[in-house]
Amino acid sequence: MPRFHCPLPLHADAQLDLPAGAARHVQVLRLQPGAVIELFGGAGGQWQAEILEMGRSHVSVRVLQHQAVERELHRPVHLIAGITANERMDWLVEKATELGAASLTPLLAERSVLKLKGERADKKREHWQAVAVAACEQCGRNRVPLVHPALTLAQWLQAHPVEQDAPGTQRAVLSLAPGCQPLAQVLAKEAGPVVLLSGPEGGLSPAEEALALQAGFAPVTLGPRILRAETAPLAALALLGAL
Ligand code: SAH
């Protein structure tokens, strides 16, 4: 059944016009009045809805019953990922959403090739948020991961002192340093949220890695191969999904 993100107040029997993006999509699919679609607001659960009318630029629907369907990971995973160049970052946002990341903070790493500032940074954030929404429409997630504004590691750490972490939280940094323990082993120890830090193409700088360790990030390995900046956090999410 076609699914659309519809961030409007939804309740049974409500009649409403779909937001512009969803309406366009319904028109492209040439759906007809009477067709049933699925709507989700982004903060949990989904609704069936029947198309009532297709106008030139609007599509009106009647909301049917609510379904309390959840497709989240057992442990929420908050990803802080080094910004990678060009469309690799879009790919990372899409796949991280499919694999269940609860939120994503693009990291302005010392070695990030893409330097984002001001209006361009806002535009990129909006773009990545839209990529996450489209991935939720596709994969059936009813909670849209929040894409936060891009931050340096120092800025993120300042805003998130370790003593304010929710109980049972584990912080881990994907590290290439020798002698790290495997991610699955380290992260099997608690049941709360996971904050996962990974580097850009050029890796985290020694200063960033030291800062992370000081702030309670346990260094973990994904094995002896050097994975690309977008592969590493996705492999970690897949492993965490299986815990
Ligand atoms: N050019 C860098 C590699 C960066 S890989 C170098 O040779 O040092 C990009 C990021 O992916 C790394 O910063 C790390 O966070 C993560 N990563 C890649 N492979 C990994 C592995 N086997 N274990 C843990 N983290 C890994």
Side-chain angles (χ1 to χ4, degrees):
M1 190 181 300
R3 281 170 51 84
F4 304 98
H5 182 231
C6 184
L8 298 172
L10 299 174
H11 56 88
D13 270 343
Q15 286 193 19
L16 49 94
D17 285 353
L18 293 180
R24 219 172 307 119
H25 201 160
V26 165
Q27 276 156 337
V28 169
L29 292 175
R30 298 180 181 283
L31 296 175
Q32 297 302 319
V36 176
I37 58 176
E38 206 165 273
L39 301 178
F40 63 103
Q46 62 196 32
W47 301 80
Q48 298 212 325
E50 181 190 354
I51 297 180
L52 296 178
E53 192 187 72
M54 306 274 296
R56 244 174 203 286
S57 59
H58 80 276
V59 172
S60 62
V61 302
R62 181 180 30 247
V63 179
L64 307 173
Q65 69 273 31
H66 182 248
Q67 299 167 320
V69 177
E70 291 290 353
R71 299 195 173 96
E72 299 306 300
L73 297 180
H74 294 300
R75 300 186 69 176
V77 180
H78 300 283
L79 189 60
I80 309 170
I83 299 179
T84 61
N86 51 49
E87 67 289 350
R88 285 180 187 277
M89 193 66 187
D90 288 13
W91 203 81
L92 170 53
V93 174
E94 178 180 283
K95 304 303 169 206
T97 303
E98 291 170 37
L99 288 167
S103 75
L104 192 117
T105 305
L107 179 71
L108 291 164
E110 279 179 41
R111 295 179 184 160
S112 282
V113 178
L114 187 70
K115 307 282 178 202
L116 282 176
K117 269 201 211 107
E119 198 184 322
R120 222 170 118 241
D122 293 343
K123 284 249 159 60
K124 268 288 183 202
R125 198 199 64 76
E126 280 168 29
H127 169 71
W128 288 326
Q129 186 66 73
V131 170
V133 165
C136 287
E137 290 182 332
Q138 179 273 324
C139 77
R141 276 185 82 182
N142 291 321
R143 292 183 190 268
V144 178
L146 196 60
V147 180
H148 293 285
L151 293 176
T152 65
L153 185 59
Q155 287 169 330
W156 189 91
L157 293 175
Q158 199 175 19
H160 300 85
V162 66
E163 29 330 322
Q164 284 177 21
D165 277 356
T169 298
Q170 280 186 287
R171 295 180 167 199
V173 51
L174 299 180
S175 172
L176 295 163
C180 294
Q181 286 195 303
L183 170 125
Q185 204 172 310
V186 174
L187 294 181
K189 292 181 182 150
E190 298 276 356
V194 174
V195 183
L196 195 66
L197 171 63
S198 70
E201 287 95 340
L204 295 170
S205 71
E208 285 170 328
E209 190 130 351
L211 213 55
L213 299 191
Q214 266 171 35
F217 283 79
V220 295
T221 179
L222 292 168
R225 289 162 306 281
I226 298 175
L227 307 176
R228 278 193 182 263
E230 69 276 18
T231 314
L234 298 177
L237 276 164
L239 277 168
L240 285 164
L243 282 184

